[in-house]
Amino acid sequence: MAASSERSPPPFPDSEEPELLEDSDEGADAFTGTSISEMDSPSPDSTRPPKDIFNEPLEDIFSDPLSNINSEPQKKVDTKIPSPSSDEVVDLFSDPLDDDSEVISSPEVQNPMPDLLNEPVQAPKSDVLGEPPVHKNAARQQYIFEDPPKGSSKSSSVKKAASAELFGDEDEEDLFKELPKVVTKKPQPLGPPVDVFTEVKSDVKVKPQVKDDPTDLFTEEALTAPAPKPSASSSSSRTNGVHSEEHDLFSEATVELSLDSPRNDRKKKDAVKPSVSAPVAPVASSSSKAPSKTLEELEEEESEDTFDLNISVTNPEKVGDGMNAYMAYKVSTQTSLTMFRSKMFTVRRRFSDFLGLYEKLSEKHSQNGYIVPPPPEKSILGMTKVKVGKEDPSSAEFVERRRAALERYLQRVVSHPSLLQDPDVREFLEKEELPRAVSTQALSGAGFLKMLNKATDAVSKMTIKMNEQDVWFDEKIQDVENEEQHMRKLHIMVESLVNHRKELSGNTAVFAKSVAMLGSSEDNTALSRALSQLAEVEDRIEQIHQEKAANDFFTFSELLADYIRLLGAVKGCFDQRMKAWQRWQDAENMLQKKREAEAKLLWANKPDKLQQAKDEIAEWEAKVTQYEREFERISATVRKEVIRFDKEKARDFKRQIIKYLESLLNSQQQLIKYWEAFLPEAKAIA
Amino acid sequence: MEVSSAEAALSVSASSIRITDVTQDGDVLTFALTSQKLDSSAGVCVFRIYEDFDWLQQSLFSQENLPGLQGIIFPPLPSKALPSQSNTQTKALKQLGFLALGQDWQSYCKALEFYLQQVAAHPTLCKCKALDSFLFNSESPGKQRGRKGIFNRLSQAVEEMRKESHKDVDNFFQNERNKNTNLAALSKVATEKLLDVVMTEQKLALACGHFSTSLHLCVNQDDASAVAFSKVCLKLSDVIEAVKRNLEKVASNNLSTLGLGLDLESRYQEAEKEMLFRRTCKLIELETVKKGTEKAKANKREVLEAFQKAVEKEFNLISSVAKQEIERFHSSHVNVLKNFLIGWCEVQLNTAKEFAELYSQHLEACRNMYSE
């Protein structure tokens, strides 16, 4: 990651350098580096030719953060050239970064940021209006920069106008979001670094640097970072350059990751920054085209190795009386992630809070193509039973089942690298009091999603006829559809399995009782004893059956139910992608119409309206570009998400099977014990 | 007759009697019986249908010149199986209980086999000619049936129900009757409950089978992650298949040991009950005769007294035979149950061990499944 940041020159922060720590400086580099280079590459206005970019960064790579100072002058020149406005912007960026690197994930940062951001925003805006070419770049740069974290909805707003607004609206959030993300993104893509981080923690100087490294990564990956790669910038025909590279970029990110880990290891060892980056560079450039597979492999290791966040939902407790009663759960978090204020904390949350969290998350993330894990469904019947306060086993079972479902839900949320970054998640886990979630009363999240899905499904299938060009998606959509069917079938099977188990347990209990009776009225003392022993054995076997029933239920039935819900969310992602495609196609059509109109005007020789038509064409061209990019981005995200989902699924199932087998084995061993104990009793009958 | 039957008494070893095969032809089940005479090493094989068994039972009931016959606890013959009516599975279950279960009438054969062994092992009944011809005569003896036995199932009459609660003169028999009523009911219930358990186990095994098969649906070879998931599914399918086999094994263990044992126990209790009831009937007869004698006029008194004596003698004989029989029954029923319990425990233990082994293999395989 450092490699990437260094390769793309980190120009702006340099101006601030004196004030900054070296480390934080690099963090700034990371940010601005990518964005700027993007800016540079497409626009001829930026005086600096792309070659420079690469040359410089290469130097950088070898020289490493510390040596930034050396390359500083050059960069400074560069930065100033593109546009002063962007320079300011960068400062802003670097500012908050500094703040953050010092405060590290403390929400208070939020406050200073808006101000900082809003002010400078004005400047770029005016600039933009004045100089079209430059401003376009600038706008775009910001754009790209902001996009990934926030979501396509905002980016869909008109580009030019948006540049200012986006800044105003989003920066506060985005920047903010990004920063925390930086911290946690790291664990996901970077296995080892986390350790480094935690270990190094004591060393103040090193810390920020380590922390910043992930920033690069993140920006690159999530932003589909435009410039770091030579091919990207050189080939970029402005629109496509960015997207088409996405995959490569991903893989690049991967490569860098893989490179980073050793590097970080080394860092751990000697804590000497300069030496570290030198070996990285050549590999990075050469392997930037490595197959995207590496990413997957890496991700796998990483999330297993470094995920250090344990969430448990415990102590379901009824609060209140009557129909206003609700269940409150204790949500305990145990983590070494530094984005949290402490290592262990506990909050009380009620069910609607969980639903509220989901709604917030899905509002923000599902339109970006993220798979937001759905919470358990609201059960009016079950809850009413609980409310009425009947202490029957079914309501206890209901509560336990929901508790477990909520726990799994939260674990799924936090295991998602992007969702974990969301401030709402953190707030949910950390904050003592949560504002009461509204509008979850009538519809549960899952129910709502279902309705939404159904509605969009119906509508989109009717109106959108997407000719799928991506074979992968074509197949995957079909697969998901099939899989959902299968899961439903399996779920029904498991349900009947569980019911039979329960029946068996009940029958065994009755049998045990009748054997006990038989034993008590038997004359022969030895036989009588053996029979009552047998009754005991059967009683225990009944217990085992009961456990097995619960086990079947919790390992399989609930797992399948979860995945049926999750597949719904996956389908939602596909729908989002389809919507993005539709938007793009609509814009394309509109552009076509405008062009035809222009042709007509030319033909009719009406120069007075021609200019307007041209403007419109330009506007729609921009829109098409933007929408296409959005579509590409969402496709990439969905693809990544689905791959991740598949992997999680396999791992999840495997884990469950192992768990199931363990309990199976355990109960079998108990059975053996029971029988072995009983055998001498049977033999003792005279 | 007594002499000749005494000679024949030990002509067959009870334990050598086996039902080796059963064939179904429409509604008729034909059983292949093998047995071995004591004085020869050659086995004899005959084919019998249920009617032949029934004939044997009736012949045992209606033996003449056998004092105290009514005091004998006759080994219970399972009721007739109706194989062709497959749609009346539930009915068959109700009627036969455990004996309707099991592959190819295995348990039914076992029960018949056990019945014959019990008859052959019975010190009095084994002397019956009918048994001899049943076991060794290649001609089917059931043809000449039609002699409906005097002792039929007791259930029919309300009057008899009243008799059943008749107070006994002998405390021993009164106690035995109470206990028997109790045990008969309890063992019947226990048998039914165990039957429920076995049925549920079979249902559960079936459900496991469905689940295991359905898991194959999830197999997809499209890409790496799908393959990984498919592997997981297949593994799970194997595991569930193992669970299914375990359940089937446990169910058949239950059926072939404890199930048969309890079934036999409950039918034997029923048989004892019948014997006790016959004795009670005799007792009531005796008491009526006594009353009649007391009320009778002098001229008839002598005849009646003679008759009363005869009845009393018969009753006493029956009682003494019954006492022996009860004793014999008690010890043999303890023995039989013991054997079934031990057998049951052993097979269940083996099954449990076998599958524990299998599960741990699966577990190992799962853990190593794919370690990225």
Side-chain angles (χ1 to χ4, degrees):
Chain A
M1 47 199 56
S4 74
S5 73
E6 283 147 17
R7 248 188 300 149
S8 50
F12 310 117
D14 298 341
S15 55
E16 275 189 57
E17 240 220 47
E19 302 155 28
L20 300 171
L21 277 175
E22 281 170 359
D23 311 314
S24 58
D25 191 4
E26 206 204 77
D29 286 0
F31 255 103
T32 51
T34 45
S35 53
I36 280 256
S37 55
E38 204 284 320
M39 197 175 118
D40 286 343
S41 52
S43 83
D45 295 331
S46 54
T47 36
R48 194 166 50 106
K51 269 180 194 171
D52 286 356
I53 297 173
F54 301 113
N55 293 340
E56 270 176 8
L58 274 174
E59 269 179 27
D60 265 0
I61 292 160
F62 291 110
S63 54
D64 125 311
L66 274 177
S67 60
N68 274 353
I69 308 151
N70 300 336
S71 54
E72 213 181 301
Q74 283 178 347
K75 287 176 206 157
K76 243 182 196 163
V77 177
D78 294 339
T79 28
K80 296 254 154 98
I81 291 163
S83 83
S85 63
S86 58
D87 201 349
E88 268 185 62
V89 175
V90 174
D91 282 351
L92 286 169
F93 282 128
S94 54
D95 262 356
L97 269 172
D98 291 334
D99 281 349
D100 247 50
S101 55
E102 279 153 25
V103 186
I104 301 175
S105 81
S106 86
E108 287 99 71
V109 182
Q110 222 164 351
N111 298 333
M113 280 178 71
D115 303 351
L116 280 169
L117 289 166
N118 286 335
E119 272 183 293
V121 164
Q122 307 307 334
K125 193 180 175 186
S126 56
D127 273 330
V128 164
L129 293 172
E131 303 172 293
V134 174
H135 102 71
K136 247 190 183 173
N137 281 334
R140 221 164 129 226
Q141 169 220 340
Q142 295 157 6
Y143 204 59
I144 285 159
F145 196 67
E146 288 149 12
D147 256 1
K150 186 51 192 183
S152 56
S153 71
K154 297 237 164 129
S155 54
S156 63
S157 44
V158 187
K159 204 209 243 167
K160 281 178 196 169
S163 70
E165 283 165 20
L166 281 173
F167 244 147
D169 293 350
E170 283 181 8
D171 276 2
E172 160 199 359
E173 254 181 276
D174 288 350
L175 275 174
F176 193 63
K177 237 180 268 158
E178 255 166 73
L179 290 173
K181 241 175 212 165
V182 165
V183 182
T184 27
K185 184 76 191 182
K186 167 188 60 192
Q188 236 284 334
L190 272 186
V194 170
D195 304 354
V196 174
F197 188 31
T198 44
E199 273 172 59
V200 174
K201 237 184 199 166
S202 54
D203 186 342
V204 183
K205 271 211 170 175
V206 180
K207 181 171 80 182
Q209 213 228 347
V210 178
K211 198 188 131 217
D212 285 342
D213 281 354
T215 318
D216 298 359
L217 240 194
F218 169 66
T219 43
E220 237 180 26
E221 229 184 305
L223 293 176
T224 67
K229 218 174 65 171
S231 62
S233 45
S234 58
S235 73
S236 61
S237 67
R238 172 170 268 251
T239 28
N240 289 336
V242 181
H243 322 294
S244 58
E245 248 71 43
E246 260 172 8
H247 293 294
D248 292 355
L249 283 171
F250 278 126
S251 59
E252 201 180 45
T254 326
V255 171
E256 279 161 13
L257 285 176
S258 57
L259 289 166
D260 272 328
S261 33
R263 192 171 70 133
N264 277 320
D265 284 346
R266 203 179 308 173
K267 253 185 213 161
K268 216 196 298 180
K269 276 179 209 154
D270 47 22
V272 181
K273 289 175 265 162
S275 64
V276 172
S277 46
V280 173
V283 192
S285 51
S286 68
S287 59
S288 61
K289 260 155 199 162
S292 57
K293 217 179 170 189
T294 37
L295 175 65
E296 294 163 23
E297 284 164 6
L298 240 116
E299 260 179 6
E300 221 135 55
E301 285 172 28
E302 285 148 9
S303 50
E304 259 168 38
D305 292 344
T306 66
F307 190 69
D308 182 23
L309 183 61
N310 274 322
I311 294 191
S312 56
V313 177
T314 49
N315 290 10
E317 205 175 76
K318 198 168 122 180
V319 178
D321 280 317
M323 287 318 279
N324 288 324
Y326 62 90
M327 296 300 293
Y329 304 86
K330 208 166 106 184
V331 179
S332 320
T333 314
Q334 202 177 358
T335 180
S336 64
L337 297 184
T338 39
M339 59 178 284
F340 296 102
R341 267 175 283 184
S342 56
K343 292 202 181 222
M344 252 166 70
F345 40 89
T346 302
V347 289
R348 284 201 83 74
R349 294 282 178 259
R350 53 182 293 182
F351 183 63
S352 53
D353 294 335
F354 288 84
L355 295 186
L357 173 65
Y358 167 71
E359 241 142 67
K360 281 185 206 158
L361 291 178
S362 91
E363 200 181 307
K364 270 187 275 186
H365 296 285
S366 66
Q367 59 200 354
N368 279 344
Y370 286 120
I371 299 172
V372 181
E377 274 156 70
K378 203 156 187 147
S379 158
I380 292 166
L381 180 71
M383 202 49 212
T384 312
K385 260 190 186 166
V386 174
K387 278 175 180 169
V388 170
K390 270 188 193 154
E391 289 295 322
D392 65 339
S394 77
S395 89
E397 193 187 294
F398 167 78
V399 170
E400 165 58 18
R401 180 180 167 184
R402 170 167 283 181
R403 184 206 63 73
L406 289 174
E407 190 173 282
R408 288 192 310 271
Y409 160 65
L410 279 187
Q411 280 163 354
R412 284 208 175 93
V413 169
V414 297
S415 71
H416 192 295
S418 314
L419 295 183
L420 178 59
Q421 304 306 318
D422 194 291
D424 281 325
V425 173
R426 233 169 356 136
E427 196 174 63
F428 183 88
L429 295 176
E430 271 187 329
K431 208 170 170 187
E432 206 54 57
E433 285 292 322
L434 213 59
R436 181 91 171 77
V438 283
S439 81
T440 57
Q441 293 292 19
L443 283 168
S444 86
F448 183 69
L449 185 76
K450 241 186 235 162
M451 266 180 56
L452 201 88
N453 273 344
K454 265 183 197 151
T456 51
D457 263 7
V459 173
S460 61
K461 259 165 205 155
M462 298 246 280
T463 58
I464 305 179
K465 220 181 140 229
M466 184 171 180
N467 51 338
E468 185 65 73
Q469 274 134 13
D470 193 329
V471 183
W472 188 87
F473 273 104
D474 205 21
E475 280 175 3
K476 211 69 203 171
I477 288 170
Q478 199 51 47
D479 283 354
V480 167
E481 202 67 50
N482 291 340
E483 199 168 354
E484 197 185 7
Q485 294 293 319
H486 297 154
M487 292 266 186
R488 282 187 196 285
K489 251 183 223 161
L490 288 181
H491 190 241
I492 293 168
M493 303 272 169
V494 175
E495 293 277 84
S496 84
L497 203 70
V498 171
N499 286 337
H500 284 312
R501 269 268 193 241
K502 283 182 182 159
E503 194 187 332
L504 180 57
S505 145
N507 284 341
T508 311
V510 175
F511 175 61
K513 218 172 274 169
S514 68
V515 168
M517 298 269 285
L518 192 61
S520 67
S521 42
E522 174 60 50
D523 267 353
N524 185 301
T525 41
L527 181 59
S528 165
R529 229 186 74 165
L531 284 176
S532 48
Q533 291 284 342
L534 173 62
E536 246 172 71
V537 169
E538 287 293 329
D539 262 336
R540 289 199 189 121
I541 291 177
E542 187 242 321
Q543 286 299 315
I544 288 181
H545 285 318
Q546 232 169 46
E547 280 159 26
K548 275 185 181 168
N551 199 22
D552 282 353
F553 181 73
F554 279 112
T555 36
F556 293 131
S557 179
E558 289 288 88
L559 178 73
L560 287 167
D562 278 2
Y563 271 93
I564 289 171
R565 280 203 300 270
L566 278 167
L567 284 172
V570 173
K571 286 206 291 195
C573 285
F574 287 141
D575 288 344
Q576 292 292 346
R577 179 174 166 270
M578 201 187 273
K579 270 193 227 155
W581 183 83
Q582 181 65 23
R583 222 172 16 233
W584 172 33
Q585 294 304 307
D586 286 349
E588 200 85 79
N589 288 339
M590 190 56 97
L591 178 61
Q592 197 59 39
K593 271 182 205 156
K594 295 286 178 202
R595 278 192 178 135
E596 279 163 17
E598 186 202 21
K600 267 182 200 159
L601 284 176
L602 269 177
W603 193 252
N605 204 7
K606 285 181 186 166
D608 47 331
K609 287 182 185 171
L610 208 55
Q611 187 51 44
Q612 192 198 338
K614 274 190 174 144
D615 285 350
E616 276 180 355
I617 287 176
E619 182 190 329
W620 279 100
E621 269 174 350
K623 275 189 189 170
V624 166
T625 312
Q626 176 200 336
Y627 289 148
E628 188 183 355
R629 199 173 346 121
E630 262 168 42
F631 173 69
E632 298 289 348
R633 190 169 45 71
I634 205 170
S635 295
T637 313
V638 169
R639 193 169 172 148
K640 220 177 109 203
E641 283 284 286
V642 169
I643 288 173
R644 180 180 174 277
F645 170 81
D646 279 345
K647 224 165 291 154
E648 283 287 313
K649 183 179 66 180
R651 201 180 302 137
D652 224 12
F653 271 73
K654 185 189 161 191
R655 226 179 2 238
Q656 294 296 334
I657 292 174
I658 289 176
K659 226 171 93 187
Y660 179 71
L661 269 171
E662 277 166 353
S663 78
L664 211 56
L665 193 59
N666 186 31
S667 54
Q668 205 66 19
Q669 269 150 0
Q670 265 177 304
L671 267 182
I672 293 175
K673 248 192 280 166
Y674 297 157
W675 289 124
E676 273 171 351
F678 179 67
L679 193 55
E681 292 287 340
K683 283 184 173 157
I685 301 171
Chain B
M1 181 153 187
E2 281 220 284
V3 183
S4 64
S5 62
E7 279 166 9
L10 297 172
S11 69
V12 65
S13 79
S15 58
S16 74
I17 300 174
R18 289 272 182 278
I19 293 183
T20 51
D21 193 23
V22 59
T23 51
Q24 184 178 340
D25 178 18
D27 220 352
V28 182
L29 290 174
T30 309
F31 307 92
L33 277 179
T34 58
S35 53
Q36 214 171 0
K37 283 192 179 179
L38 280 183
D39 48 10
S40 83
S41 58
V44 183
C45 181
V46 291
F47 292 93
R48 295 288 178 258
I49 57 173
Y50 182 80
E51 276 68 28
D52 302 327
F53 284 90
D54 197 36
W55 168 84
L56 173 65
Q57 185 77 332
Q58 297 307 332
S59 310
L60 295 178
F61 284 158
S62 55
Q63 287 177 88
E64 285 156 24
N65 305 328
L66 198 59
L69 179 73
Q70 285 156 315
I72 287 173
I73 300 173
F74 293 98
L77 178 67
S79 40
K80 189 177 178 183
L82 298 166
S84 67
Q85 288 147 310
S86 54
N87 56 335
T88 53
Q89 168 76 17
T90 44
K91 209 172 144 194
L93 269 178
K94 224 174 196 173
Q95 192 195 358
L96 291 172
F98 273 106
L99 306 185
L101 291 176
Q103 203 101 65
D104 294 332
W105 301 97
Q106 286 295 317
S107 37
Y108 192 70
C109 293
K110 268 267 175 285
L112 286 179
E113 186 180 297
F114 209 81
Y115 160 75
L116 289 178
Q117 288 173 0
Q118 288 294 311
V119 172
H122 195 280
T124 321
L125 295 179
C126 67
K127 294 169 192 159
C128 180
K129 282 254 171 208
L131 179 63
D132 237 26
S133 73
F134 179 86
L135 287 177
F136 303 120
N137 200 339
S138 57
E139 283 289 305
S140 190
K143 300 284 187 297
Q144 62 242 2
R145 69 190 210 92
R147 273 198 295 163
K148 220 26 182 173
I150 34 171
F151 314 118
N152 264 331
R153 297 257 156 200
L154 63 136
S155 50
Q156 314 101 325
V158 186
E159 180 201 5
E160 285 174 350
M161 294 300 284
R162 191 176 51 78
K163 280 182 188 168
E164 207 176 326
S165 55
H166 186 86
K167 182 121 177 45
D168 212 298
V169 287
D170 190 333
N171 256 345
F172 171 82
F173 282 104
Q174 185 64 50
N175 280 344
E176 188 58 30
R177 271 165 60 190
N178 291 344
K179 249 185 286 179
N180 169 260
T181 319
N182 202 1
L183 274 180
L186 284 176
S187 60
K188 194 158 191 241
V189 170
T191 313
E192 279 165 6
K193 294 312 166 199
L194 183 62
L195 183 62
D196 284 346
V197 170
V198 171
M199 297 290 287
T200 327
E201 277 165 351
Q202 286 178 340
K203 268 194 273 179
L204 189 53
L206 207 65
C208 282
H210 288 317
F211 184 37
S212 159
T213 322
S214 309
L215 275 169
H216 284 274
L217 289 175
C218 294
V219 173
N220 185 338
Q221 304 287 349
D222 277 358
D223 53 70
S225 59
V227 168
F229 182 63
S230 302
K231 269 190 205 154
V232 173
C233 282
L234 287 179
K235 193 74 223 169
L236 179 58
S237 173
D238 287 350
V239 171
I240 299 293
E241 181 68 28
V243 173
K244 178 199 166 199
R245 283 210 312 278
N246 181 18
L247 282 165
E248 279 172 350
K249 199 87 183 275
V250 168
S252 83
N253 288 345
N254 280 340
L255 167 66
S256 63
T257 55
L258 190 65
L260 279 184
L262 279 175
D263 180 70
L264 185 71
E265 163 76 8
S266 89
R267 279 184 297 121
Y268 246 111
Q269 294 287 357
E270 215 47 52
E272 190 199 2
K273 195 184 205 173
E274 276 175 50
M275 184 279 285
L276 288 169
F277 176 68
R278 288 193 298 267
R279 191 191 144 272
T280 312
C281 288
K282 209 69 190 168
L283 174 67
I284 291 169
E285 190 190 335
L286 175 64
E287 280 169 0
T288 345
V289 170
K290 267 186 186 164
K291 265 181 215 158
T293 320
E294 276 166 24
K295 282 179 194 163
K297 287 165 188 164
N299 56 343
K300 284 184 182 169
R301 179 161 283 187
E302 254 178 51
V303 186
L304 282 174
E305 266 174 1
F307 179 61
Q308 184 196 333
K309 275 229 169 85
V311 173
E312 204 167 350
K313 192 185 160 203
E314 197 185 352
F315 174 71
N316 286 338
L317 192 63
I318 290 175
S319 292
S320 73
V321 170
K323 257 186 192 163
Q324 281 174 21
E325 279 284 294
I326 286 169
E327 236 158 79
R328 191 180 160 274
F329 168 69
H330 277 188
S331 72
S332 89
H333 116 111
V334 168
N335 238 326
V336 166
L337 270 187
K338 175 191 169 179
N339 287 337
F340 275 119
L341 278 177
I342 290 174
W344 181 57
C345 194
E346 274 167 354
V347 286
Q348 295 292 53
L349 189 57
N350 284 341
T351 309
K353 276 180 179 162
E354 181 189 326
F355 279 90
E357 177 68 19
L358 188 62
Y359 290 157
S360 65
Q361 277 170 18
H362 275 301
L363 185 57
E364 201 54 36
C366 261
R367 284 195 172 128
N368 299 332
M369 193 156 40
Y370 62 105
S371 32
E372 322 88 324

